[in-house]
Structures are given as structure tokens and as C-alpha cells.
Amino acid sequence: MLNNWLFKHIDNSALIVFRIIFGLLCFLESVGAIFTGWIKRTLVDPSFTFNFIGFEFLQPLPGNGMYYYYAVMGVFGLLVMVGYKYRLSILAFTLMWSATYLMQKSSYNNHYYLLMLLSSIMVFLPANTYASVDAKLNPDITSYSMPQWCRWVIILQLFIVYTYASIAKLYPDWLDTTFIELLMRGKKDYWLVGEFLQQKWLHHVLAYGGILFDGLIIPLLLFKPTRKYAFVVSIFFHLFNSIIFQIGIFPYLSLSFSLFFFSSEKIQKLFLKKKPFYNSETIIIPKLKTPLLIVFIVYFIIQIGLPLRHHFIEDNVLWTEEGHRLSWRMMLRSKSGKTKYWVENKETGQRHVVNLSGYLSKKQIRTASTKPDVIWQFAKHLKQKFKTDGVDVAVYVESKVSINGKPYKTFINPAIDIANEEWDVFKHSDWILPLK
């Protein structure tokens, strides 16, 4: 029964149109990083980058290498869009994007993570079987249908993202609009809308509207009687985010997901009028059915499990950050830190404060003041730098952190040599002091 449902073929218009939009957005994200100066600020100017722990071998290319890297990635995005050498192009983009995502986390963004996941999923989808250069060059691959699982794998991924994003907002500083008010205060100077964004009633609308939107948008899009209304709300929601928060391609990528919720016939008539509409009940069980099912079952178990891991780690994730990344905890809090790094010569006992601006960019300094894994990495980096000069040092950190404008509290145990500690991604680090 499940096999028949998963492998029943349906019209593939939604996937074909999505491939075109997705490839274009991948191109715009890549070249946008060049022209907005993001690459310069994040990967070229800093002398040291904070990788995801375990991926230290991924380092920015020297000189102008990262500009060329992103330009090539943009080309692969265009090739995905037009459907030329699709499998190779989407695989290459996925690997290159994943590498640059894992290469640095000073500019950590859930949207970058989602793009990595989606491009990985697209590797498995037959998105080049129509309206593609591949289909023009090799008509044998032309198809007007796709297995039904191709649609539902996207929907399930979105359901996980939005559901966890909604649940994460159910905490006091969001519910009483403390964080929203703080967030909007930073937009006060926006032309035309700055003062409007300071209205208390709007903060409540944004806070509770955000919870409801994230929690209900997927079910409402799936339910035919509410689909059109949900789509209209989605347009306003994502355009608001695009204008106010300036978060790149994500709002437009999110809107493009709507293709998978409307009827295939409607998508075909609207975007692919020359394409024959597939309307059959054909079921094709592929030879690699079992490996395919295993891959996606394992994938979604990981996707469901990762956002839950902070519940098994001591203390509040808003404070410790342990279990925060890869968990769809989006735009939930504002943190500021006052942090000093002390280096102590183990032989002489002499201590001095590290001048952070001599090692890190302004954005990296902010990250190295509030994120414990980054604090740990920088302590290790300092120890290694001094070791190359023949000096064995201990690294101590004095840090006070404020969450959502609340009073500063001591964050790191100043008596512990952080550079001598080990990091365990699934365990609490005792040198992070308790919130209470």
C-alpha cells in the first residue's frame, strides 16, 4: 500500500518550475554574496575563520579565490535552472555550498542550512525531464510525470522546519514581545516604516502571528479550502521579512514552495502551457526502491532528532547555545557579551589581555563573546599561535552575557583554562556557568 502511494506517478509541472526558480535563486545567492561584500567581510578579510567543529580542513581559498569559488557556484546555479548536465550541476552546487557553509559560522544563518538540505534533496529528484537542455539533447529522458514521493519529500522537510520554528517561539521573551520590541528598535531609522515598527500592538501581531504562521502554514496550504488564503498570507509574511530583515533569497524560495501545494493541473496551465498534462494512475516501483527509502528514512530521522537534542543537554539553550544550530531556532533572541581573553605563560606565570581586533573582525569579535563553541575554538587558536612561537600558554576567559537586553551575567568560568578543555557536541561543557 505504501509503495503504491509513494511511487504512483503524478504530473511533474511543480517540480520542473521549482527547478527553474531554485536554480535562479542559487545563482542570485552566489553572485549576491560577491557584490554585497559578504565574501570580503566573511571569508577574505578575516585572517581566521570559525569552522563547524570537525571541519577545520575546510579553509577559505587564498587571495581572490573565494570570489572565483562563488562565481563558479553561481554558474552551477544557472546550469540547474536551464537543466544542463543537471545531476552533475546540482551535485556540484550542493558540495560547494555545503563546504562554504561548514567553512564559517560567524555569519550562521538557518536559511543557508536550509539551502544546503534542499540542494541535497534536489540531487535525487528527476527535475530535468522537461523544459531542460538535457531533455532537448536527449529526448529519451523526457517525462511529464514524477513519483509522488518527490512532492512529499519537500513538503515533509518544510513541515519539520516550520513546526520547530513555531515551537521554539513558545518562550517568555517571545510571548511577552520583549525580543520583538528589541528587534524592531534596531529598525527605528528605516525610511517610512521605522516609527510604525515601534507600535506595541504590532509587536503582539508579529509575535503571535509568527507562532501561528509557522505552526499552521503547511496544514493550511495542504487543505484545499484554505489554500488560497494561506498563500496570500504567505506572500505578505515573506515580503515583510524580505523588506524589514533583508534576508536574501529565503522569502522568495519560501514562496516558490507553494508550487507543491497547488494542483499540478493549475501549475501546468499557468507556467507550462505547451506541456501535456499527465493524468494517469501509473505505479512504477524502481529497482533501487529499498536503498532510496533507507536514505530518506535515515535523513528524516536525523532531521526530526537534531532539533530535540538541546532537551538532553543541561541548562537553557538560549544561554548555553548548545544544541542551537541546525535546529530551526530562527530569530529568537539577541545576545551581547563583554569578554576578555587572558593568555598566561605556563612557565613564567605572566598574564596579558589579548587584543581581539588583532585577530578577529568586528563580527567575529561579537561571535567570540557570546557563543561557547566559538570561545573554545578561539582559545584553541590562541594556544596554537603561541605554541608556534615556542610558548606554552593557558587561555582564560572573563565573559558576561546579556540576553534580550537583560542584565549581564557571568557566562564562562574564569578559573578554567579553556584551551585545555575538550568539546563534545552532545554534552554540556561545565565551564559554561549556569544561567540561574
Short mmCIF file of all heavy atoms in Angstrom, two decimals, residues 50 106 335-339 356 360-371 374-375 401:
data_model
loop_
_atom_site.label_atom_id
_atom_site.label_comp_id
_atom_site.label_asym_id
_atom_site.label_seq_id
_atom_site.Cartn_x
_atom_site.Cartn_y
_atom_site.Cartn_z
N PHE A 50 35.96 30.67 11.85
CA PHE A 50 35.43 29.68 12.79
C PHE A 50 34.64 28.64 12.02
O PHE A 50 33.48 28.86 11.66
CB PHE A 50 34.56 30.36 13.85
CG PHE A 50 35.32 31.26 14.76
CD1 PHE A 50 35.23 32.64 14.63
CD2 PHE A 50 36.14 30.74 15.75
CE1 PHE A 50 35.94 33.48 15.47
CE2 PHE A 50 36.85 31.58 16.60
CZ PHE A 50 36.75 32.95 16.46
N SER A 106 30.51 32.49 11.70
CA SER A 106 30.32 33.84 12.22
C SER A 106 29.06 34.46 11.63
O SER A 106 28.40 35.28 12.26
CB SER A 106 31.52 34.72 11.92
OG SER A 106 32.67 34.21 12.56
N LYS A 335 21.77 38.59 21.74
CA LYS A 335 22.77 38.40 22.79
C LYS A 335 23.91 39.39 22.60
O LYS A 335 24.33 39.66 21.47
CB LYS A 335 23.32 36.97 22.76
CG LYS A 335 22.29 35.90 23.05
CD LYS A 335 22.89 34.52 23.05
CE LYS A 335 23.65 34.24 24.32
NZ LYS A 335 24.10 32.83 24.41
N SER A 336 24.39 39.92 23.70
CA SER A 336 25.58 40.77 23.66
C SER A 336 26.51 40.31 24.77
O SER A 336 26.07 39.82 25.81
CB SER A 336 25.20 42.24 23.84
OG SER A 336 24.49 42.43 25.06
N GLY A 337 27.79 40.48 24.54
CA GLY A 337 28.76 39.99 25.52
C GLY A 337 29.89 40.98 25.77
O GLY A 337 30.25 41.77 24.90
N LYS A 338 30.41 40.95 26.99
CA LYS A 338 31.61 41.69 27.35
C LYS A 338 32.66 40.65 27.74
O LYS A 338 32.58 40.03 28.80
CB LYS A 338 31.33 42.62 28.53
CG LYS A 338 30.23 43.66 28.25
CD LYS A 338 29.92 44.46 29.50
CE LYS A 338 28.82 45.49 29.25
NZ LYS A 338 28.46 46.24 30.48
N THR A 339 33.62 40.44 26.84
CA THR A 339 34.51 39.30 27.00
C THR A 339 35.98 39.70 26.89
O THR A 339 36.35 40.47 26.01
CB THR A 339 34.18 38.22 25.95
OG1 THR A 339 32.82 37.81 26.09
CG2 THR A 339 35.08 37.01 26.10
N LEU A 356 41.67 41.54 20.81
CA LEU A 356 40.88 40.73 19.88
C LEU A 356 40.91 41.28 18.46
O LEU A 356 40.88 40.53 17.49
CB LEU A 356 39.43 40.64 20.37
CG LEU A 356 39.22 39.92 21.71
CD1 LEU A 356 37.74 39.86 22.05
CD2 LEU A 356 39.81 38.52 21.66
N LEU A 360 40.66 39.13 15.03
CA LEU A 360 39.32 38.88 14.52
C LEU A 360 38.67 40.13 13.95
O LEU A 360 39.03 41.25 14.32
CB LEU A 360 38.42 38.34 15.66
CG LEU A 360 38.91 37.11 16.41
CD1 LEU A 360 38.01 36.83 17.60
CD2 LEU A 360 38.98 35.90 15.50
N SER A 361 37.69 39.92 13.07
CA SER A 361 36.88 41.03 12.55
C SER A 361 35.87 41.44 13.62
O SER A 361 35.67 40.74 14.62
CB SER A 361 36.15 40.61 11.28
OG SER A 361 35.15 39.64 11.57
N LYS A 362 35.19 42.57 13.41
CA LYS A 362 34.20 43.05 14.38
C LYS A 362 33.09 42.02 14.58
O LYS A 362 32.64 41.79 15.70
CB LYS A 362 33.62 44.39 13.92
CG LYS A 362 34.59 45.55 14.03
CD LYS A 362 33.92 46.86 13.61
CE LYS A 362 34.90 48.03 13.75
NZ LYS A 362 34.28 49.32 13.34
N LYS A 363 32.64 41.43 13.49
CA LYS A 363 31.57 40.44 13.59
C LYS A 363 32.05 39.20 14.32
O LYS A 363 31.34 38.62 15.14
CB LYS A 363 31.04 40.06 12.21
CG LYS A 363 29.79 39.22 12.25
CD LYS A 363 29.10 39.19 10.90
CE LYS A 363 27.73 38.56 11.01
NZ LYS A 363 26.97 38.62 9.76
N GLN A 364 33.28 38.79 14.05
CA GLN A 364 33.84 37.64 14.74
C GLN A 364 34.02 37.90 16.23
O GLN A 364 33.81 37.01 17.05
CB GLN A 364 35.19 37.27 14.11
CG GLN A 364 35.09 36.60 12.75
CD GLN A 364 36.45 36.27 12.18
OE1 GLN A 364 37.39 37.08 12.25
NE2 GLN A 364 36.59 35.10 11.60
N ILE A 365 34.37 39.14 16.57
CA ILE A 365 34.53 39.50 17.99
C ILE A 365 33.19 39.35 18.72
O ILE A 365 33.13 38.83 19.84
CB ILE A 365 35.08 40.93 18.14
CG1 ILE A 365 36.54 40.98 17.68
CG2 ILE A 365 34.95 41.42 19.58
CD1 ILE A 365 37.13 42.37 17.64
N ARG A 366 32.10 39.80 18.07
CA ARG A 366 30.77 39.64 18.69
C ARG A 366 30.43 38.16 18.89
O ARG A 366 29.89 37.77 19.92
CB ARG A 366 29.71 40.32 17.82
CG ARG A 366 29.80 41.84 17.81
CD ARG A 366 28.53 42.46 17.24
NE ARG A 366 28.33 42.13 15.84
CZ ARG A 366 28.81 42.85 14.83
NH1 ARG A 366 29.53 43.94 15.07
NH2 ARG A 366 28.57 42.49 13.58
N THR A 367 30.78 37.34 17.89
CA THR A 367 30.51 35.91 17.99
C THR A 367 31.37 35.26 19.07
O THR A 367 30.89 34.43 19.83
CB THR A 367 30.79 35.23 16.63
OG1 THR A 367 30.06 35.89 15.61
CG2 THR A 367 30.36 33.77 16.67
N ALA A 368 32.63 35.67 19.14
CA ALA A 368 33.56 35.10 20.12
C ALA A 368 33.32 35.63 21.53
O ALA A 368 34.06 35.30 22.45
CB ALA A 368 34.99 35.39 19.69
N SER A 369 32.28 36.46 21.68
CA SER A 369 31.93 36.98 23.01
C SER A 369 30.69 36.32 23.58
O SER A 369 30.40 36.47 24.77
CB SER A 369 31.69 38.50 22.93
OG SER A 369 32.86 39.17 22.52
N THR A 370 29.93 35.58 22.73
CA THR A 370 28.66 35.04 23.20
C THR A 370 28.43 33.56 22.88
O THR A 370 27.57 32.93 23.47
CB THR A 370 27.48 35.82 22.57
OG1 THR A 370 27.57 35.73 21.14
CG2 THR A 370 27.51 37.28 22.99
N LYS A 371 29.21 33.00 21.96
CA LYS A 371 29.00 31.61 21.53
C LYS A 371 30.08 30.72 22.15
O LYS A 371 31.26 30.87 21.82
CB LYS A 371 29.05 31.50 20.00
CG LYS A 371 28.10 32.44 19.26
CD LYS A 371 26.65 32.02 19.46
CE LYS A 371 25.72 32.75 18.51
NZ LYS A 371 25.65 34.20 18.76
N VAL A 374 32.54 28.89 19.82
CA VAL A 374 33.46 29.82 19.19
C VAL A 374 34.52 30.28 20.20
O VAL A 374 35.70 30.41 19.87
CB VAL A 374 32.70 31.02 18.59
CG1 VAL A 374 33.66 32.08 18.07
CG2 VAL A 374 31.78 30.55 17.46
N ILE A 375 34.10 30.51 21.43
CA ILE A 375 35.05 30.86 22.51
C ILE A 375 36.08 29.75 22.65
O ILE A 375 37.30 30.01 22.76
CB ILE A 375 34.29 31.10 23.83
CG1 ILE A 375 33.48 32.40 23.74
CG2 ILE A 375 35.26 31.14 25.02
CD1 ILE A 375 32.56 32.64 24.92
N VAL A 401 27.38 37.97 29.70
CA VAL A 401 26.47 37.95 28.56
C VAL A 401 25.09 38.44 28.97
O VAL A 401 24.62 38.16 30.08
CB VAL A 401 26.38 36.52 27.97
CG1 VAL A 401 25.20 36.39 27.01
CG2 VAL A 401 27.68 36.16 27.25
#
